[in-house]
Amino acid sequence: MAVPKAAVVLRHVKSVMVRFCPFQTNVETTRIFLGHVNSKKARASNISCVVTTDVRHDGSEPVVDIMFADGDRLIMKGANLTAAEMLSAFNSRCIAKDLKAEEKTKKKGA
Amino acid sequence: MAAALGCRAPCRTGWLPTLQIVRHAKSVTRHWKAMHFERQKLMAVTEYIAPKPAVPEKCIAPRIKAVKEENGYAKLLRLQVAETFRDSKMIAVCQHNFTPSEEMLLMKHRLRKHNIHVKFFPNEIVRPYLSVSKYKNLLPLFVGYNLMLVSPEIKVKEMLRILKNMPQINLLGACIDNTILSNQGVINYSKLPTVEITQGQVVGTLSLMASQMCGLLQHSSVHLTALLDQYIKQQSGGAGEADGKAGEGQAELGPAKSSAGL
């Protein structure tokens, strides 16, 4: 399992909702993603971020629903994704938001 | 000079080389010294060539694979897993996200009060055991970081109450009394009344039918007697209306006398 070592940073995240059915066989990557989101460093990066887990038994697909602080929403259906892909998609968006925030602060400073 | 050039001394007994170099370097040296060219050629020609069999030995003899000895710790863990599944009536599998050690300790303490033990086993040990045992349907749960809550008694309400306070521990499924339940199934199970109350309800429902049977059987005859009584009263009431009026007057006086007496 090639999972990047870079920690998950939840600075721009308002809430994370993970929904899966544990008796299915395609939930491994979603569970790994949930473990990373709940890690020590991730929780320390943003204490006000709410991480909810919805465990069901209805045969539905595993879904990760991330709500960002600026209103953006990222929905990832983890049935056919690897954990590395999910984390890289999430991290790329976080980095983009970081850059935006930096540009804003520079403009304000200037 | 003559010595350097060499001496040409004829010999009667044999053949001697025409030139004998007297001045030469040492033959036994501390560094590696190349052999004389003629000696090199001789060594190359007389080199040993090992006899090769027609069919190489590798093709005939099978490769002996080294038998990997099983790790003693893995064996011990497997025994512990088997013992846990054998002795527990309630086995709950939860996803274990990061929990600070203090919270984990508190949770373990609270669960221990209700005789619920927290067990951690590696998936590599548990999965082969489950695939062979009767708990095959629990296999999909054992992926990633898990923990097991096991208990010889069934105390679902207390377990759910404690897990409610721990958002990092997510209940995935449970095997209670040889029945595999999902998260919702466990919640429904906790809302069920106790066994004694349920047994009492069943006994009451069964005895209700038996108690109603007597009434049902006698219902028709009781109804008939009531109707007959009513008829008799009607008949006797019509005949003795006059007597009844006198009787009523006496009856009125009677209570008035009694009230005056009091």
Side-chain angles (χ1 to χ4, degrees):
Chain A
M1 284 190 288
V3 179
K5 286 186 183 175
V8 171
V9 176
L10 301 174
R11 214 176 301 130
H12 302 284
V13 177
K14 195 171 151 193
S15 70
V16 179
M17 203 277 287
V18 181
R19 183 169 71 231
F20 60 92
C21 170
F23 286 93
Q24 284 194 311
T25 47
N26 56 359
V27 295
E28 188 179 344
T29 54
T30 311
R31 283 179 63 182
I32 292 167
F33 181 82
L34 176 65
H36 276 81
V37 163
N38 269 313
S39 67
K40 190 175 172 184
K41 285 186 183 173
R43 303 301 268 149
S45 65
N46 188 355
I47 301 164
S48 62
C49 177
V50 175
V51 180
T52 48
T53 313
D54 189 6
V55 178
R56 293 188 184 181
H57 189 50
D58 52 4
S60 58
E61 286 185 355
V63 172
V64 176
D65 189 352
I66 302 170
M67 193 69 117
F68 290 95
D70 55 2
D72 284 353
R73 199 168 168 193
L74 172 64
I75 298 175
M76 292 193 278
K77 295 193 179 173
N80 294 315
L81 289 172
T82 63
E85 286 168 2
M86 292 167 86
L87 285 167
S88 66
F90 174 69
N91 280 332
S92 61
R93 275 162 184 77
C94 285
I95 289 164
K97 287 190 193 302
D98 273 338
L99 291 170
K100 268 188 196 173
E102 276 179 18
E103 279 176 13
K104 274 185 185 174
T105 48
K106 275 183 189 172
K107 279 180 186 173
K108 278 183 185 174
Chain B
M1 181 114 168
L5 287 171
C7 52
R8 300 169 191 233
C11 181
R12 284 177 206 165
T13 51
W15 169 83
L16 280 171
T18 49
L19 273 175
Q20 275 184 339
I21 301 166
V22 177
R23 187 173 288 181
H24 62 88
K26 290 179 184 172
S27 57
V28 178
T29 55
R30 288 185 187 181
H31 62 276
W32 180 81
K33 189 176 158 186
M35 285 188 264
H36 193 273
F37 189 62
E38 280 187 13
R39 193 184 168 195
Q40 276 183 28
K41 283 198 275 187
L42 199 67
M43 295 293 280
V45 165
T46 57
E47 204 171 330
Y48 173 69
I49 299 169
K52 278 184 188 173
V55 180
E57 284 167 2
K58 275 186 192 176
C59 298
I60 299 167
R63 200 195 297 181
I64 301 165
K65 284 183 185 174
V67 178
K68 276 187 186 175
E69 277 186 15
E70 205 179 5
N71 194 2
Y73 184 53
K75 216 188 259 183
L76 173 70
L77 282 174
R78 205 175 305 115
L79 287 170
Q80 281 183 349
V81 166
E83 194 187 327
T84 308
F85 274 94
R86 196 179 54 231
D87 298 341
S88 310
K89 267 190 176 177
M90 178 177 84
I91 302 159
V93 184
C94 306
Q95 164 132 4
H96 175 222
N97 299 317
F98 168 75
T99 320
S101 50
E102 301 92 19
E103 285 187 30
M104 195 63 176
L105 200 65
L106 272 171
M107 187 189 84
K108 280 186 180 176
H109 173 65
R110 282 182 208 142
L111 286 168
R112 194 70 184 82
K113 277 190 205 171
H114 301 287
N115 202 12
I116 301 174
H117 304 265
V118 181
K119 299 274 186 188
F120 295 91
F121 291 116
N123 289 336
E124 300 87 37
I125 307 286
V126 177
R127 287 181 75 90
Y129 172 78
L130 287 181
S131 57
V132 174
S133 70
K134 61 181 178 178
Y135 303 100
K136 271 181 217 170
N137 292 323
L138 284 176
L139 263 177
L141 298 182
F142 285 90
V143 157
Y145 296 111
N146 299 309
L147 62 87
M148 285 166 52
L149 302 175
V150 299
S151 170
E153 302 149 21
I154 298 173
K155 290 200 174 166
V156 181
K157 268 187 197 165
E158 291 83 359
M159 184 183 74
L160 284 176
R161 203 184 310 128
I162 293 164
L163 286 180
K164 214 190 255 185
N165 296 327
M166 307 278 301
Q168 301 95 339
I169 310 286
N170 312 121
L171 179 66
L172 302 174
C175 181
I176 298 172
D177 233 354
N178 285 328
T179 313
I180 292 178
L181 298 167
S182 66
N183 190 17
Q184 192 59 44
V186 172
I187 293 167
N188 292 340
Y189 185 93
S190 68
K191 288 177 187 167
L192 287 174
T194 57
V195 177
E196 289 82 19
I197 295 170
T198 321
Q199 281 172 347
Q201 282 177 353
V202 168
V203 166
T205 313
L206 289 170
S207 59
L208 181 70
M209 290 292 112
S211 62
Q212 277 182 352
M213 194 172 68
C214 292
L216 279 169
L217 286 172
Q218 290 171 354
H219 175 72
S220 52
S221 52
V222 163
H223 188 58
L224 181 65
T225 40
L227 285 171
L228 286 170
D229 277 339
Q230 190 73 27
Y231 180 72
I232 289 164
K233 276 180 191 172
Q234 281 176 356
Q235 293 290 316
S236 57
E241 266 184 353
D243 296 338
K245 279 182 186 173
E248 278 174 20
Q250 281 179 6
E252 281 174 17
L253 281 170
K257 273 186 187 173
S258 63
S259 63
L262 290 166

